[in-house]
Amino acid sequence: MKHFLNIIISLISLSVCGCSRDNKTHSHYDLRADTIMNDAFCYIPDTCIMDGDLFVFAKNLIDIEQIYADSITDAKHYKSWYKKTDSIYLSNLNCRNIEIDLCLEYISNNMIPYIKIYGNNCTAALGDAEWLNLGMNLYMMFLSQENILKSSNIDYSHWWKKENDAWLRFIAKLFPLLDHEICNVTGSSAAYEIPYTFNKIIQNRIICLKEVNADRLLNERLEISLDKLCFLITDINIRHMDCDKDDLIEDSFQLSNKKEALEALNQWVAIRTDMVKPNGNEASFHNATNNLLDSITSIIFHIRH
């Protein structure tokens, strides 16, 4: 009976997690079917069939959870994580002429759904899938930034580097605050809600970088959007129960995060405002900034309601 179950699991691994020779589409032509001893994903079988190099790449994507959880994460951690992830892609996959789009498509269409299925859609499995999805979106965010730098002249790329540094400082301080807020509101479902919320913010950041919206926008509206977001961040509850004092006290770590998040946010908006004139498309640039501010405001508001 045990032998029969092992055969069934192997067949499932081949058909869902891997890219078997019989089911291989033209777009997956260059991906191999290697036997992988899985040591990174809780909701994928211990033995998995997929491209070994792609597995290592995906493994580093989901490491964003450990980087976030195990350290006082700052902008440098995010940059280091991206450089390592990109190095893995360039060394193992790009040299085989496998496009990054194919890698991300495979992870999105095969690994993420399979993590949910294999984990019976439990909260922890959904959380694992969302952390992997967050890793993918953060990686795409950095790629979008690099594409902007490549297409910018030397003077303007300097502005983009400052803008990105301010954004990274902002999310590095905002995310722990939202983690604290979500845990206060949702309880056990936070395992899923935390990476899901982070993902929504990063997805809107990617849209902002692409600046797809060219509607006209008054500066006054930008100031209103910034004020609303600052108010919601200021209003995040950072108190916790001190059993010794039998009272609610402010968390000094979260208080520092709140102060630095607000400072970084205002710096980011100021830098983008200064970038408008050399950008040459004031309406589009302001609108992209405003849309991102409004999206984060909406996300924080809905955490509480």
Side-chain angles (χ1 to χ4, degrees):
M1 183 65 181
K2 183 178 180 181
H3 182 66
F4 176 75
L5 288 174
N6 288 336
I7 293 173
I8 294 297
I9 291 173
S10 297
L11 289 173
I12 292 173
S13 299
L14 282 166
S15 63
V16 181
C17 183
C19 47
S20 66
R21 191 176 300 274
D22 291 339
N23 295 329
K24 191 186 302 179
T25 65
H26 179 70
S27 64
H28 289 174
Y29 183 78
D30 291 322
L31 294 178
R32 300 188 301 245
D34 302 322
T35 301
I36 307 298
M37 299 306 294
N38 170 38
D39 60 350
F41 302 92
C42 296
Y43 297 97
I44 287 179
D46 293 339
T47 302
C48 178
I49 309 299
M50 67 175 287
D51 188 290
D53 291 334
L54 185 56
F55 177 86
V56 173
F57 177 71
K59 178 180 177 179
N60 206 74
L61 288 177
I62 204 170
D63 271 354
I64 194 66
E65 178 184 6
Q66 298 303 319
I67 292 169
Y68 174 77
D70 293 345
S71 63
I72 302 175
T73 306
D74 58 20
K76 291 184 291 185
H77 287 93
Y78 285 107
K79 286 183 177 180
S80 297
W81 169 85
Y82 168 69
K83 288 178 181 178
K84 180 181 178 182
T85 307
D86 199 44
S87 176
I88 291 171
Y89 166 70
L90 293 173
S91 301
N92 299 342
L93 294 156
N94 186 62
C95 65
R96 291 166 49 194
N97 296 316
I98 299 176
E99 297 291 335
I100 187 61
D101 289 348
L102 173 59
C103 298
L104 298 177
E105 177 190 348
Y106 183 88
I107 293 169
S108 180
N109 293 341
N110 294 275
M111 295 187 72
I112 289 177
Y114 187 54
I115 288 170
K116 296 176 183 178
I117 293 169
Y118 194 71
N120 296 313
N121 285 315
C122 71
T123 300
L126 294 176
D128 246 25
E130 279 302 317
W131 281 111
L132 179 55
N133 196 30
L134 175 63
M136 275 208 312
N137 281 314
L138 279 167
Y139 183 75
M140 287 190 286
M141 182 191 78
F142 276 103
L143 286 181
S144 296
Q145 175 73 19
E146 281 202 349
N147 289 336
I148 289 173
L149 292 175
K150 289 176 183 176
S151 62
S152 301
N153 61 43
I154 294 175
D155 291 336
Y156 202 55
S157 66
H158 171 71
W159 280 105
W160 274 114
K161 288 176 182 176
K162 288 178 64 178
E163 188 265 3
N164 190 55
D165 285 345
W167 168 258
L168 291 176
R169 288 196 300 272
F170 172 55
I171 63 168
K173 301 304 175 181
L174 176 67
F175 283 180
L177 282 170
L178 296 185
D179 187 322
H180 186 81
E181 180 91 336
I182 291 166
C183 288
N184 281 340
V185 174
T186 65
S188 62
S189 67
Y192 164 71
E193 294 287 348
I194 289 168
Y196 176 76
T197 301
F198 296 173
N199 255 317
K200 289 173 69 177
I201 292 173
I202 296 303
Q203 287 164 2
N204 282 289
R205 165 63 172 171
I206 293 170
I207 294 171
C208 177
L209 287 170
K210 293 180 179 178
E211 294 173 1
V212 295
N213 208 327
D215 295 337
R216 293 193 61 79
L217 176 70
L218 297 174
N219 286 345
E220 289 81 359
R221 186 180 157 203
L222 182 59
E223 291 172 5
I224 291 170
S225 293
L226 177 59
D227 287 344
K228 285 181 179 178
L229 179 53
C230 286
F231 172 78
L232 283 180
I233 293 173
T234 302
D235 201 42
I236 289 176
N237 177 22
I238 59 171
R239 293 177 298 171
H240 67 273
M241 175 60 72
D242 187 316
C243 296
D244 293 332
K245 296 181 179 180
D246 192 26
D247 194 11
L248 289 171
I249 63 171
E250 281 192 330
D251 186 308
S252 58
F253 172 64
Q254 296 299 347
L255 182 62
S256 174
N257 283 334
K258 183 182 289 190
K259 178 182 176 183
E260 292 179 46
L262 290 168
E263 289 175 353
L265 174 61
N266 280 282
Q267 288 172 0
W268 178 76
V269 171
I271 291 168
R272 285 185 66 87
T273 302
D274 288 339
M275 291 172 71
V276 167
K277 290 181 180 179
N279 174 267
N281 192 350
E282 184 172 352
S284 175
F285 209 78
H286 272 317
N287 203 68
T289 307
N290 190 80
N291 286 343
L292 181 51
L293 293 174
D294 285 348
S295 70
I296 299 174
T297 297
S298 177
I299 288 166
I300 296 176
F301 179 82
H302 284 97
I303 289 173
R304 301 172 191 170
H305 301 87

